[in-house]
Amino acid sequence: MLKERALEMKDISLTRRFNAYVQKDAAYALALRTMYFDMATIAPKKGAAYRSQLLSILSGEAFAHATSKSTIALLQKVADQSDDRFAQDQAKAILRDLEKIRFIPKKQYVEFNKLCSDAELEWEQAREEKNFNRFAPYLHRLVEGTKANVKTRQRKECDYDVLLGDYEPNMTQVEYDRFFTVVKEKLVPFLHRLLTEGVKPDTSFLYKVYPVEKQKQFMEILKEALFVDPKSSYLATSAHPFSSSLSKFDNRITVRYLADNVASAIFSLIHEVGHATYNHQVDQAYEGTVFFDNMSMGMHESQSRMMENMLGRNKSFWVNLYPKLVALFPENLSEVSLDQWVAAINAVEPGFIRTEADELTYPLHILLRYEVERGFFDGSVTVDNVEEVWNQKIQDFLGLNVKDSAEGVLQDIHWSSASFGYFPTYALGSAYSAQWMVAMRKDLNVEQLLEEGRMDLIKQWLMEKIHTFGGKRQADELLKEVTGESFNPMHYVDYLIGKYSVLYQLI
Ligand code: ZN
């Protein structure tokens, strides 16, 4: 009896220690996110140096707390021995995440971090000068440093597979190859056909003068249409749109207003609302735990891109909303019909810059990056030929000739922070969302609900089927359960070809 009691006490104290660790970690995360949001939105520029100095002290503290020897020992003990299943699942998830850094010798870790921050500054300079050669030695060292970091984990998979799995569990080159082969074989010829045979929509009215104050008025209308809870969300302005969920009931969203582009802020808002809704609708029991926001990149992006492209660019969504936009900007839109508006916001225009790409050409930008990254890790692409490879692929996929490296290989920040393996999740998210939509359409009449302004019912479906589980359940498991099959890229290409065939009058 006494022994049993002693074991029970031990277990209670283990769970208590674990919960205290989790809470402290959540407290650090809340402080850092709040400071980051403040910095990106309202903080005066002159305070930047002092602020970032103290911010780095606090994030160093948070890092030390998360990775100390005693923390790892505690996590390991909970993962191996705890009777508390929920604590055990959390500990395993945290350890999985820490695997990326915990075996790297301190000296190597510090040097690599320094390399990343130097590389980011060099990348900025190189992009400004349109001079890839300036960034090339850093890119080489980033790839080699990443390989060395992966080696410390002693995994049996090859380096790039490990990296792909860090951003999207269960995805390897075999799965991505299957996905991107479909994208390449179906979408590249379809894009060519659309550009040569399709009826091109007029988009000129999107770029007239749209005063920012009036755009802000429309954001309020849009938030209402999207059923954004005013008591648990906050909208601000920043240089780059983003969303940050500080907690379930504290979702911050930012947009950027362009006075000569009415669509920019609208679709940024809808995209970020997609992200914020995901966290807002996570089961409350997960608040403050790792499962509140450790969803995979592909899963999160599937929610934002579904909201932005499949719902937000849907004609039915605009049936009631468009007259309200026209009422705010009659000088620009009174002569533009709903159909013309919908055609313009879905227009396809091959361009060099990924972040400005339309829904159809976007996955081709990602395909290119995937093929280049894969080459970095199998040795077929090096800093000596990467520009040539990049430019050739842009020509093959989009039919464009790159003029300089700023609009080519230097355009993205990702590689300067060694985020290899991240890009593919952007396209994967869109593909997941096409598959979710197929399942949603079996339960709901999506177009009718959109026309009736019932986004709340669509969000409720998303909550019950996807959001409530947070990061507790992985994409492959949820896809099988909700859609009845594993990831199937055909839904995505079928969706895109179907949608654009109608819009460009190809059928
Ligand atoms: Zn996003």
Side-chain angles (χ1 to χ4, degrees), residues 9-18 74 77-78 82:
M9 289 298 289
K10 200 177 128 208
D11 207 55
I12 289 170
S13 96
L14 186 63
T15 305
R16 217 177 264 158
R17 274 169 59 212
F18 176 72
L74 173 67
K77 209 167 181 182
V78 174
S82 176

Side-chain angles (χ1 to χ4, degrees), residues 112-182:
F112 190 74
N113 268 357
K114 170 91 169 59
L115 171 65
C116 287
S117 57
D118 290 349
E120 202 173 310
L121 293 174
E122 279 304 313
W123 166 76
E124 260 174 42
Q125 277 301 320
R127 192 173 65 152
E128 215 173 287
E129 294 170 17
K130 302 175 179 172
N131 175 12
F132 174 70
N133 289 339
R134 181 171 183 155
F135 181 60
Y138 288 87
L139 180 58
H140 175 74
R141 286 170 61 201
L142 287 162
V143 173
E144 294 310 310
T146 301
K147 287 180 187 168
N149 288 344
V150 173
K151 213 143 264 112
T152 64
R153 298 161 69 173
Q154 297 187 319
R155 294 267 294 264
K156 58 182 188 314
E157 303 95 324
C158 69
D159 294 347
Y160 193 44
D161 276 347
V162 172
L163 297 168
L164 290 171
D166 285 347
Y167 292 100
E168 196 65 27
N170 303 308
M171 285 300 283
T172 63
Q173 287 173 80
V174 172
E175 280 79 28
Y176 273 121
D177 281 349
R178 194 168 63 90
F179 170 42
F180 282 115
T181 300
V182 173

